[in-house]
Amino acid sequence: MTKVSMSVNGRAVSGETEGRTLLSQFLREELNLTGTHIGCDTSQCGACVVHVDGKAVKSCTMFAAEAEGADVMTIEGMANTDGSLGMIQQAFQDHHGLQCGFCTPGMVMSAADLLKNNPKPTETEVRAYLEGNICRCTGYHNIVKAIMAASGQDVTIAAE
Amino acid sequence: MPADGGIGASPKRREDVRFLTGKGNYTDDINVRGQAYVHFVRSELAHGHINSIDTGAASAMEGVVRIFTGADFESVGGIPCGWQITDRFGEVMQEPAHPVLAQGKVRHVGDPIAAVVAETYEQARDAAEAIEIDISELPAVIDMKAAVANSDVKVHEDLISNLCYDWGFVEENRDAVDAAIKGAHHVTTLELVNNRLIANPMEPRVAVGDYNSATDDHTLYTTSQNPHVIRLLMGAFVLGIPEHKLRVVSPDVGGGFGTKIFHYAEEAFCTFAAKACGRPVKWTSSRSEAFMSDAHGRDHVTKIELAMDAEGMFQALRTETYANMGAYLSTFAPSVPTWLHGTLMAGNYKTPLIYVNVKAVFTNTVPVDAYRGAGRPEATFQLERVIDKAAREMGIDPIELRRKNFITEFPYATPVAVEYDTGDYHATMDKLSEIADLSGFEARRAQSASNGKLRGLGVNCYIEACGIAPSNLVGQLGARAGLYESATVRVNATGGLVVMTGSHSHGQGHETAFPQVIADMIGIDASMVEIVHGDTAKVPMGMGTYGSRSLAVGGSAMFKATEKIINKAKKIAAHLMEAADSDIELKDGQFSVAGTDKSVAWGDVTLAAYVPHNYPLEDIEPGLEETAFYDPANFTYPSGAYACEVEVDPDTGKVDIKSFAAADDFGNIVNPMIVDGQVHGGIGQGIGQALLEQAVYDSDGQLLSGSYMDYAMPRADDVPYYTVDHSCQTPCTHNPLGVKGCGEAGAIGSPPAVVNAVVDALQRAGHDITHIDMPLSPSKVWSAMNS
Ligand code: FES
Ligand code: FES
């Protein structure tokens, strides 16, 4: 067991982990941040996406120990300081971009990363960026629409 | 559309706030103090005799609490099947034993052989590696036709063959159908496969068992679409726990699509082991385990023949299907290729004679059961594909051929035992033509052609039977359960309501949509209504959510219970206003006396019910809480017309979906936003089936598509924006809300549209191709073009 320390959602945290403990497990089991979900064991579903030092990362692809000293942001840190939904979260609710909610934390974290690097993506760019995030419920329609809306673009073309 | 969140409005979903902030409560988020973790040792072979299991070394490893094998479960029951089919000769189906952990034999890759309970997951996994299992491999039974033709190798030695049942429907029509086909002007024949799929809800299954030795109470937290069904099946048939000593909780569930209906061995294991080990036991499925332990879906091999007269009027339909059951009978497996499939073979058409034959077969594969649509996609796919082929053979436009044969008068009794209450198939086809801009297709095709792409248009209809189901009917058909739904409406003193529904929400948004109905009935704000579901300790016996039944059946139960509440509240209001019960009207949350200006508010009445100082105690009891059980009189019959346009790349065979339009008739609509979302999701899964997904076994029974690296899930860039419309509404006549259900339509209606479109594109390009089996991967399409 080794001790790891990092900042998660702006709060300094530390815990004991085995070398093989994944960051996703550490967040869920040690820190009780259960918003980060685990949907696969081959790093393909994207339910576990968090930000590490400002970059979107599948938290099942790195060991907790590798995040030593890092600045980690999870879905629990995405709301506004007054507790209201952040802009991307609000767009997902406004456009019904989630059903069961299981893929949602990863989708929101990925969307935030996309919009940070590409503030006005095209529909094609949004769809391509989401390659690593699987949703089984929504058929992606309203997820894409929510992300386009969150980027301030017109989504009437996607109106039903 | 009301702006107040009542019926027909689209308020934002209240459940979203917790899901968007990481505050959902999924089963894997539940840890019970003192819990141990279980890891299952699963068969790597498809078929074999277990000679020995040596757990000695593993038991001594660090952290191991106990190791279980099949021997530990000899004194309990097996996993039961909930539906018994009677075959065409009047015999009941063959029903094999299904032990919790394998006894004597393994029958599919993933069959659980042993289970290690340890202090941590890692320790359980490490110890599992040290268990020595000696298995003599047997030849695997994989191909269904071979399995039936040759009984030398049997999946179950104690059964007489690998054939579960040979079902004929309607058996009395068999000869008449044969004769009609023999004498027909034209018969179109199509052989096809409905590809085997894996449901893949994004949340893997989880079970946590807990036991209180002081009270003898068991609790199971599980990822289920129907906690009461699990309580009944597991309590009564597997572990012998009376229902009042067993609580089953399904909190937030991350998608189901059918595969979380069934009672699974892991649930029984965790419940059993919690008592045996004296501490809570938790299992979280990995995705790899899910691929080899969640029930799969579809997997039909079919030959269909459609007989027509010279004008293209349908005369008779005959279909013969081999349906894979896998190695054991999952909970509802036998009903899927029979009553959920054969009864839909009339589709939207007036075919007078229909005969359906289904041979259900045991193989050394994961059990197969209901997956979104369950039987209805299989029926729709073969029917709508054969009609498309028939149109080309007859030289009739495919839409015209459908229209000619549409059922136009309702109620309509089909030759396959069901009676459609309402529908308007021309209206949905007209609507489709408008929203899909069908008349603009030629121009779009020319545009594609100028880019070197082959464009095709596929159109089809569908009908489904949902809102399952009348209990007396399904009882006659072999169901070992009733299919009513329940609701308790509890009004609090200050006027708020809590509704305990037997339906379960795992993405469908019941917490938002159900209150809209009650808000509308009483005339209060929807925020005054709270929905409770998913806990057998809280809600009345309910059958859960599947088969697009929640609003049609569960919503109707809630409606009935609310009606009882309103009737009682009116009596209280009459007393308070010293008027006759029959003069009381309820509008906008106010009770008034007809023809006067006297009124009392909803909150005054609810308070009086719990503080009955001025109250008709001699006539009615205090309190305001009512329960209703609603048993539907019939299935509901949503229908629709779908269109897909594709571009095929002639060089690579890659199919691009350019547009997808769906015109559905779901009857009345409570929340249009949620309905749109349900259709989108269904279409996404249908496109997945048509283009991408397939569970593949090799001839040794190895699952070749056992992870997301090999099983192609639809991603965001595989699908377009969809155009959906549900403005055609013929309300259901036999439930109080007039609703039909919308959960499965997209998955039922979309695969034939995609395949019809691809075949259309290829035929327009001069290829003599009448069918390609799903999934239409680039290599399959390319091979078809170049063979
Ligand atoms: S759990 Fe990390 S990608 Fe699936
Ligand atoms: S909302 Fe259920 S998986 Fe995306």
Side-chain angles (χ1 to χ4, degrees), chain A residues 97-104 134-138 143, chain B residues 202 254-255:
Chain A
L98 62 153
Q99 291 183 24
C100 78
F102 200 79
C103 72
T104 307
I134 305 177
C135 173
R136 193 51 150 173
C137 297
T138 62
I143 291 177
Chain B
M202 291 319 297

Side-chain angles (χ1 to χ4, degrees), chain B residues 305-316:
Chain B
E305 296 156 284
L306 174 63
M308 285 157 288
D309 69 12
E311 273 69 56
M313 298 307 293
F314 301 163
Q315 305 290 297

Side-chain angles (χ1 to χ4, degrees), chain A residues 18 20-21 25 28-29 32-42 44-45 47 75-79 83 85 88-90 92-105 108 123-124 126-128 130-142 144-145 148 155 157-160, chain B residues 12-17 19-24 26 28-29 31 35 37 120 122-123 125-126 198-204 253-255 257 282 286-289 371-372 506-508 673-674 676-678 680-682 684-685 693 707-709 711 713-724:
Chain A
E18 276 189 61
R20 59 180 162 176
T21 302
Q25 282 173 296
R28 290 181 55 81
E29 302 300 330
N32 278 318
L33 293 171
T34 53
T36 297
H37 292 156
I38 298 174
C40 73
D41 46 9
T42 52
Q44 271 148 337
C45 74
I75 189 70
E76 286 90 348
M78 292 297 280
L85 294 179
I88 296 171
Q89 293 168 316
Q90 189 60 58
F92 269 70
Q93 189 189 29
D94 290 348
H95 296 281
H96 189 26
L98 62 153
Q99 291 183 24
C100 78
F102 200 79
C103 72
T104 307
V108 170
E123 180 203 335
T124 307
V126 173
R127 290 184 184 276
L130 293 181
E131 262 283 323
N133 290 80
I134 305 177
C135 173
R136 193 51 150 173
C137 297
T138 62
Y140 301 102
H141 183 111
N142 285 338
V144 175
K145 200 169 148 186
M148 294 297 280
V155 288
I157 41 142
E160 280 71 37
Chain B
K12 290 173 194 168
R13 296 200 329 168
R14 50 176 81 169
E15 43 274 84
D16 288 357
V17 177
F19 297 151
L20 280 162
T21 53
K23 296 200 174 68
Y26 299 88
D28 192 44
D29 301 342
N31 287 329
Q35 78 192 8
Y37 297 83
T120 69
E122 289 75 15
Q123 288 167 337
R125 234 173 23 215
D126 290 348
I198 301 175
N200 271 305
M202 291 319 297
E203 177 202 31
V253 171
F257 314 113
K282 179 171 183 174
S286 67
R287 180 60 58 184
S288 300
E289 277 183 288
Y371 165 59
R372 199 170 195 169
H506 30 278
Q508 297 89 340
M673 175 191 81
I674 289 176
D676 287 348
Q678 289 293 308
H680 295 159
Q685 290 182 346
E693 298 178 41
S707 81
Y708 288 147
M709 288 186 283
Y711 187 92
M713 292 283 280
R715 310 296 215 274
D717 57 359
D718 294 313
V719 295
Y721 277 134
Y722 319 108
T723 306
V724 305

Side-chain angles (χ1 to χ4, degrees), chain A:
Chain A
M1 298 290 259
T2 48
K3 188 174 174 204
V4 293
S5 305
M6 62 188 84
S7 154
V8 178
N9 301 328
R11 199 166 55 90
V13 297
S14 59
E16 296 283 321
T17 73
E18 276 189 61
R20 59 180 162 176
T21 302
L22 302 171
L23 178 59
S24 50
Q25 282 173 296
F26 181 74
L27 292 169
R28 290 181 55 81
E29 302 300 330
E30 286 296 315
L31 304 182
N32 278 318
L33 293 171
T34 53
T36 297
H37 292 156
I38 298 174
C40 73
D41 46 9
T42 52
S43 294
Q44 271 148 337
C45 74
C48 65
V49 172
V50 300
H51 296 172
V52 177
D53 292 330
K55 285 206 183 68
V57 170
K58 288 179 171 169
S59 61
C60 71
T61 58
M62 73 189 271
F63 295 116
E66 291 177 278
E68 171 69 34
D71 196 353
V72 176
M73 169 85 97
T74 70
I75 189 70
E76 286 90 348
M78 292 297 280
N80 297 324
T81 42
D82 66 356
S84 62
L85 294 179
M87 190 184 58
I88 296 171
Q89 293 168 316
Q90 189 60 58
F92 269 70
Q93 189 189 29
D94 290 348
H95 296 281
H96 189 26
L98 62 153
Q99 291 183 24
C100 78
F102 200 79
C103 72
T104 307
M107 288 287 179
V108 170
M109 300 311 284
S110 285
D113 190 60
L114 168 66
L115 296 184
K116 189 171 125 192
N117 297 309
N118 182 0
K120 294 268 181 259
T122 63
E123 180 203 335
T124 307
E125 286 171 338
V126 173
R127 290 184 184 276
Y129 187 85
L130 293 181
E131 262 283 323
N133 290 80
I134 305 177
C135 173
R136 193 51 150 173
C137 297
T138 62
Y140 301 102
H141 183 111
N142 285 338
I143 291 177
V144 175
K145 200 169 148 186
I147 296 173
M148 294 297 280
S151 74
Q153 301 187 73
D154 184 12
V155 288
T156 45
I157 41 142
E160 280 71 37

